[in-house]
Amino acid sequence: MEKHSAALSLNIIVVGAGIAGLCAAVSLRQAGHSVKIFEKSKFATETGAALGLLPNGARVLAHLGFSFSRARARKLQRWDTVHGDSLELITTMDFSDSEERFGASAWTVHRVDLHQELLHLATKDTTEGERPVELILDARVVSADADQGYVELEDGSKHHADLIIAADGLHSVLKGEVLGQEAAKASPTGLSAFRFLIDTGKLEGNEKLRRLLREKRQGSTILADTKDVSNERHMVWYDCRKTSSAYILQESTMDLTAGMKMLPFGGQGSNQAIEDGGALGHLFQGLKAISEVPKRISMFEDVRVSRASRIQILSKARIGKEQDVEQELREYADPPGSGMDSP
């Protein structure tokens, strides 16, 4: 993997050690900067079930040196939609040639395994002169001052930096400092989801479930309730480790990564957080002077805001109903107002 050393090394603070924060930290570390993460929890471990790493996110991770094998990720070959009561196939998306078409494969992975591999990339020692990311746990950020360039912790201490990255999730403190507290509030969707894991061995041990396991094709499967016309419900079922299956019972929910309010229908919440992190490291290579920072931030907005907004809007649409959000998409089209053939 090609490495780039920054001509000027910034002191950077990342608030939050989730997927978004760690991706940003790894990418900025590899660009030659000194990175410190403040994480409010006492243990830098993710909770949750599993997620899909689609080719756009997987390409960024591969560039960062992410080991899919060490993370025990499962290659995703297809994405089926079936009738929930019969498993009769409705439609399928073929991911078997993703690497040839998009430059990377699609994967499913346990969130904890993804997080641990990112943590490894952030904090490991290297022989290439990169300083490991400094991870500070049990350090809750309660406020920040963009003009003075510092974050303040719950214990009253203030920590200054050249650049501060907000990756502190849905209830972000830093987002409120930038946008105002009202603008930063989350809006309820009226939708819900229940995520859980089952060891595949337990399915094999039950005669009825074992038969169901045999009938299900390899890959991700959406079991749609096609008989209830008043409620739109489905279950998503896929492998995330060699011995585990992940299940998501959805009426749906918000997939919230670093405060990016994104419904899960496109499976893009974590992938967009990964893209953000990769873009930061790429754009902050080769700085010659601190005065270049505002321009680099502006460049980040230019390349990320419209794309992330398009995907965020599309995340509200069910498969086959993308036309329902077409007018919203036009605001973020490239060029603005043009047709929307793709996100």
Side-chain angles (χ1 to χ4, degrees):
M1 180 178 60
E2 186 180 4
K3 299 289 184 180
H4 301 272
S5 294
L8 173 67
S9 179
L10 298 178
N11 290 315
I12 298 174
I13 287 175
V14 177
V15 181
I19 294 170
L22 285 175
C23 279
V26 170
S27 186
L28 289 164
R29 172 198 180 180
Q30 293 181 1
H33 301 291
S34 177
V35 184
K36 181 183 295 185
I37 301 177
F38 289 107
E39 165 58 38
K40 64 183 179 182
S41 70
K42 294 182 179 180
F43 302 101
T45 56
E46 282 281 277
T47 57
L51 54 89
L53 293 174
L54 299 182
N56 57 311
R59 285 181 64 183
V60 176
L61 290 176
H63 180 76
L64 296 177
F66 185 91
S67 171
F68 294 92
S69 61
R70 191 160 51 218
R72 297 185 283 183
R74 303 280 285 175
K75 191 168 287 189
L76 182 62
Q77 299 291 345
R78 65 170 61 88
W79 196 309
D80 292 339
T81 301
V82 304
H83 291 279
D85 57 351
S86 66
L87 297 190
E88 181 183 351
L89 185 66
I90 299 173
T91 186
T92 188
M93 289 186 287
D94 185 0
F95 285 96
S96 61
D97 60 348
S98 290
E99 192 159 1
E100 292 74 23
R101 293 171 62 197
F102 307 119
S105 297
W107 304 81
T108 55
V109 64
H110 194 297
R111 183 178 290 268
V112 171
D113 296 333
L114 169 63
H115 189 261
Q116 286 300 308
E117 176 61 12
L118 289 173
L119 188 61
H120 169 73
L121 290 176
T123 58
K124 70 175 183 178
D125 290 323
T126 72
T127 58
E128 301 174 12
E130 296 173 5
R131 284 164 288 188
V133 172
E134 183 181 356
L135 177 62
I136 303 174
L137 303 178
D138 196 18
R140 182 183 296 273
V141 173
V142 296
S143 67
D145 189 314
D147 294 327
Q148 298 298 317
Y150 68 78
V151 297
E152 182 175 358
L153 302 187
E154 197 170 36
D155 63 8
S157 61
K158 295 180 180 179
H159 302 263
H160 291 76
D162 302 312
L163 179 65
I164 300 170
I165 306 296
D168 49 343
L170 172 62
H171 302 292
S172 171
V173 172
L174 298 192
K175 188 166 63 173
E177 296 291 335
V178 175
L179 301 177
Q181 295 303 324
E182 289 302 314
K185 288 184 178 179
S187 302
T189 64
L191 307 172
S192 59
F194 305 91
R195 298 169 183 258
F196 57 95
L197 294 169
I198 296 179
D199 192 301
T200 304
K202 292 185 178 181
L203 300 180
E204 294 280 6
N206 182 287
E207 182 180 350
K208 292 182 179 179
L209 294 178
R210 183 167 61 248
R211 187 164 59 247
L212 178 64
L213 194 64
R214 296 292 180 266
E215 292 178 8
K216 178 189 177 300
R217 299 204 303 177
Q218 290 295 316
S220 180
T221 303
I222 299 174
L223 293 89
D225 184 350
T226 56
K227 293 184 177 180
D228 188 341
V229 296
S230 59
N231 298 298
E232 198 163 358
R233 297 180 294 190
H234 63 271
M235 184 175 80
V236 184
W237 175 5
Y238 55 87
D239 297 338
C240 64
R241 282 177 177 165
K242 186 174 182 181
T243 60
S244 297
S245 294
Y247 300 84
I248 309 171
L249 295 173
Q250 295 186 174
E251 292 180 2
S252 196
T253 187
M254 288 190 294
D255 191 352
L256 301 164
T257 304
M260 185 182 293
K261 304 171 188 176
M262 193 166 293
L263 288 160
F265 300 125
Q268 280 292 327
S270 294
N271 288 282
Q272 287 308 295
I274 292 167
E275 281 192 14
D276 279 346
L280 280 169
H282 184 76
L283 290 171
F284 277 86
Q285 297 174 53
L287 283 174
K288 302 299 182 184
I290 194 72
S291 59
E292 295 180 22
V293 170
K295 182 179 179 180
R296 302 296 178 101
I297 293 174
S298 179
M299 291 169 64
F300 177 82
E301 292 180 347
D302 287 344
V303 299
R304 291 298 302 152
V305 170
S306 289
R307 172 172 170 77
S309 296
R310 290 195 299 270
I311 293 175
Q312 183 184 47
I313 291 167
L314 280 168
S315 76
K316 299 187 297 184
R318 307 293 177 100
I319 295 174
K321 295 186 177 181
E322 291 80 7
Q323 70 277 4
D324 293 348
V325 295
E326 184 174 356
Q327 290 305 312
E328 285 185 81
L329 286 171
R330 289 186 182 278
E331 181 181 350
Y332 299 101
D334 188 12
S338 62
M340 298 301 304
D341 294 330
S342 66

